Amino acid sequence: MNDKSSFHARCALVTGASGAIGGAVARRLAKDGFRIAVCFWQSETKAQALKTELLASHGEGIAEIFQADLSQKGAAEDLFSKVHTHFGRVDALFNNAGATQPGPLASLDDEAYERVFATNTYASFALLRQAARQLADHGRIVSTSSTVVSSPILGSSLYAASKAGLELLTIVSSKELAARAITANALRVGPTVPGLFELAPAERRNAMAAAAPFKRLGQPNDTADVVAFLMSEAGAWITGQVITVDGGITG
């Protein structure tokens, strides 16, 4: 991220990279000169396809895949170690893995709580902790949150609460890492298709698109563009922020 390091030597770790937003971010950052650590949990076929696409577009060595269940203790440390060993450095983290369990509180069980918080909050804690230990100076952290934190809807209690925790972890990390010129920000991403919002009923998706200022839902590249800016040199003065990326849908 600074003028002492080669632009093309930078490495970005992208979690949830087999998903729509993670894949879009990986493609954009590769275009901007990052080497990409494609992290997936279960969708190895999609992760391998993304790696193949990136290699074809940008050349050998631009990407490698890494499997990790980040809800498990020790997984973040192991992931960072493998990425650092393979690429020699880690300059940026796109903290994007997520899980949801919609439903009214009365219907939710302890297992749902543990799964959602383990994926959205514990994994973020573990990744940010390891980023604080291993991220290169002048590095970048961007975490994916959701507009349900600021505009909660029925049935979103676990998802909203777990993402609120992610936001605070990111903000505090920005203060602790500022001395090393590392920025950390979170994005409250609005309804995006393809993405988790595909799980919503079609009538709800259509109604939100019709009511949106731009008459459409978000697309993965809308988020990728913001991530790319925050991870660029131009984003060096933005840190500790929670930025809404929703085209005014929830405004």
Side-chain angles (χ1 to χ4, degrees):
M1 290 296 175
N2 57 45
D3 56 6
K4 295 180 181 179
S5 63
S6 169
F7 181 82
H8 291 285
R10 296 180 301 169
C11 169
L13 168 56
V14 178
T15 68
S18 59
I21 292 177
V25 168
R27 293 181 185 94
R28 177 56 190 271
L29 293 181
K31 181 180 178 182
D32 289 350
F34 283 91
R35 294 176 296 166
I36 308 297
V38 176
C39 178
F40 72 98
W41 174 28
Q42 294 178 315
S43 301
E44 182 174 2
T45 299
K46 291 182 179 179
Q48 184 62 55
L50 177 61
K51 172 188 171 181
T52 300
E53 176 187 339
L54 295 177
L55 294 179
S57 299
H58 304 286
E60 287 298 320
I62 195 69
E64 186 54 82
I65 64 172
F66 300 85
Q67 192 277 338
D69 179 358
L70 293 166
S71 68
Q72 301 300 308
K73 291 182 179 179
E77 290 85 345
D78 185 56
L79 174 62
F80 258 85
S81 177
K82 289 178 179 178
V83 173
H84 197 279
T85 296
H86 183 84
F87 288 108
R89 58 190 295 147
V90 186
D91 298 272
L93 168 65
F94 182 49
N95 172 30
N96 176 60
T100 186
Q101 180 62 61
L105 276 170
S107 72
L108 299 172
D109 55 25
D110 288 354
E111 287 72 22
Y113 172 89
E114 291 167 1
R115 181 176 68 86
V116 172
F117 271 79
T119 303
N120 296 347
T121 313
Y122 169 74
S124 294
F125 158 73
L127 284 167
L128 292 172
R129 177 178 62 186
Q130 205 59 25
R133 294 169 175 170
Q134 287 191 252
L135 209 65
D137 290 357
H138 300 269
R140 301 283 189 267
I141 298 169
V142 179
S143 298
T144 304
S145 184
S146 170
T147 53
V148 298
V149 177
S150 55
S151 301
I153 58 176
L154 294 173
S156 68
S157 57
L158 290 182
Y159 190 61
S162 64
K163 288 294 188 178
L166 172 151
E167 289 184 5
L168 288 171
L169 286 165
T170 304
I171 292 169
V172 173
S173 71
S174 75
K175 300 181 185 302
E176 296 180 353
L177 297 174
R180 292 171 50 208
I182 295 173
T183 67
N185 298 283
L187 303 182
R188 283 183 182 164
V189 178
T192 301
V193 175
L196 283 178
F197 196 62
E198 286 180 298
L199 300 175
E203 58 270 21
R204 183 168 166 233
R205 298 198 305 269
N206 293 336
M208 292 197 76
F214 296 123
K215 305 304 178 185
R216 68 171 177 86
L217 299 176
Q219 299 169 354
N221 283 338
D222 296 324
T223 299
D225 288 342
V226 179
V227 174
F229 173 76
L230 291 173
M231 290 193 174
S232 72
E233 290 288 351
W237 195 237
I238 302 174
T239 194
Q241 303 304 305
V242 178
I243 301 167
T244 298
V245 183
D246 75 341
I249 292 175
T250 60

